[in-house]
Amino acid sequence: GESVGLHLPTLSVQEGDNSIINCAYSNSASDYFIWYKQESGKGPQFIIDIRSNMDKRQGQRVTVLLNKTVKHLSLQIAATQPGDSAVYFCAETPPGGYGNKLVFGAGTILRVKS
Amino acid sequence: DTAVSQTPKYLVTQMGNDKSIKCEQNLGHDTMYWYKQDSKKFLKIMFSYNNKELIINETVPNRFSPKSPDKAHLNLHINSLELGDSAVYFCASNSNNQPQHFGDGTRLSIL
């Protein structure tokens, strides 16, 4: 597939297990953070976002945790399914506005084994 | 379907040529973006337009010229294509600081 030859961090999990994807962001003044999922041949798809005045936000089967002390963001996926296999990107917005200039991280490949 | 749509999906051309990529969104958004994704999957913003006005212009060669005829369209024209321009180009849109919606990309290959 498209991930062959890519030197991105890879997380392999068994179907049904929980997944945790980590991201270190760069700007301590960033005020908005977002996770995207990118499947092969598709554009990034919004999963969940969080503003800097929160440290946790939950969606359907997903939770985002923000630790501003160590500039760390994580995405937790409960009961991982084969359809969750994709490349996951975190992104931050430097100060000055939400949701506009997104600075993306390098991406993590999630592989779900059936 | 409500979406961000880009054309063409694939573009193969020779070095030195001039080409355009088109983007349209029917989501009623007022801000549109162009991103470049390289072979290592790294995504970087290039330009952003809000209501037809350029608001973000990253360090991009001036061979790249975005044009926004109206707030639903943002096209990207590239002059004198070089090998390093080979990448996947994504268009995105949003409004009111909501999450950006992305198109499915245009894969540009320079021979």
Side-chain angles (χ1 to χ4, degrees):
Chain A
E2 257 189 40
S3 61
V4 173
L6 276 177
H7 296 288
L8 294 178
T10 300
L11 175 66
S12 292
V13 298
Q14 199 66 37
E15 181 179 358
D17 287 351
N18 297 334
S19 304
I20 300 176
I21 301 171
N22 296 304
C23 174
Y25 63 91
S26 58
N27 191 328
S28 58
S30 287
D31 47 15
Y32 176 76
F33 305 88
I34 189 166
W35 281 98
Y36 281 94
K37 170 187 180 184
Q38 187 177 20
E39 295 173 283
S40 182
K42 299 277 191 183
Q45 178 188 355
F46 167 73
I47 302 173
I48 192 167
D49 59 0
I50 189 167
R51 290 179 163 80
S52 57
N53 60 352
M54 303 171 70
D55 52 23
K56 180 179 179 178
R57 191 162 187 227
Q58 287 184 288
Q60 189 177 11
R61 276 200 314 119
V62 294
T63 301
V64 56
L65 298 177
L66 174 62
N67 185 331
K68 293 184 285 291
T69 305
V70 294
K71 294 190 291 184
H72 185 265
L73 196 64
S74 68
L75 177 70
Q76 299 177 2
I77 305 174
T80 315
Q81 301 166 1
D84 294 327
S85 294
V87 180
Y88 287 79
F89 293 94
C90 67
E92 60 185 300
T93 295
Y98 297 134
N100 285 335
K101 182 180 173 179
L102 288 178
V103 177
F104 279 84
T108 297
I109 298 170
L110 176 65
R111 289 204 179 101
V112 183
K113 298 174 282 189
S114 300
Chain B
D1 283 348
T2 54
V4 179
S5 35
Q6 301 178 223
T7 54
K9 190 169 174 65
Y10 299 97
L11 184 52
V12 181
T13 190
Q14 295 205 322
M15 213 162 46
N17 283 350
D18 303 338
K19 289 293 177 186
S20 291
I21 307 170
K22 296 187 174 184
C23 179
E24 175 182 7
Q25 53 92 8
N26 61 5
L27 299 163
H29 291 159
D30 58 17
T31 308
M32 296 185 73
Y33 308 80
W34 278 110
Y35 287 83
K36 179 180 180 181
Q37 187 171 48
D38 63 20
S39 57
K40 294 181 173 57
K41 291 285 192 183
F42 185 66
L43 263 165
K44 186 166 167 54
I45 191 167
M46 300 171 71
F47 300 103
S48 174
Y49 272 73
N50 178 267
N51 282 319
K52 303 196 296 174
E53 184 182 336
L54 181 66
I55 56 169
I56 296 174
N57 185 352
E58 291 295 286
T59 308
V60 176
N62 57 14
R63 298 182 295 104
F64 290 77
S65 51
K67 282 189 172 50
S68 182
D70 55 62
K71 70 175 192 177
H73 295 85
L74 181 62
N75 303 324
L76 184 64
H77 188 76
I78 316 170
N79 287 329
S80 303
L81 280 156
E82 299 177 358
L83 288 176
D85 298 332
S86 294
V88 183
Y89 292 84
F90 286 99
C91 178
S93 71
N94 75 336
S95 274
N96 300 328
N97 301 318
Q98 293 301 306
Q100 292 177 28
H101 290 248
F102 282 77
D104 281 338
T106 295
R107 185 176 293 272
L108 175 62
S109 300
I110 310 302
L111 304 177

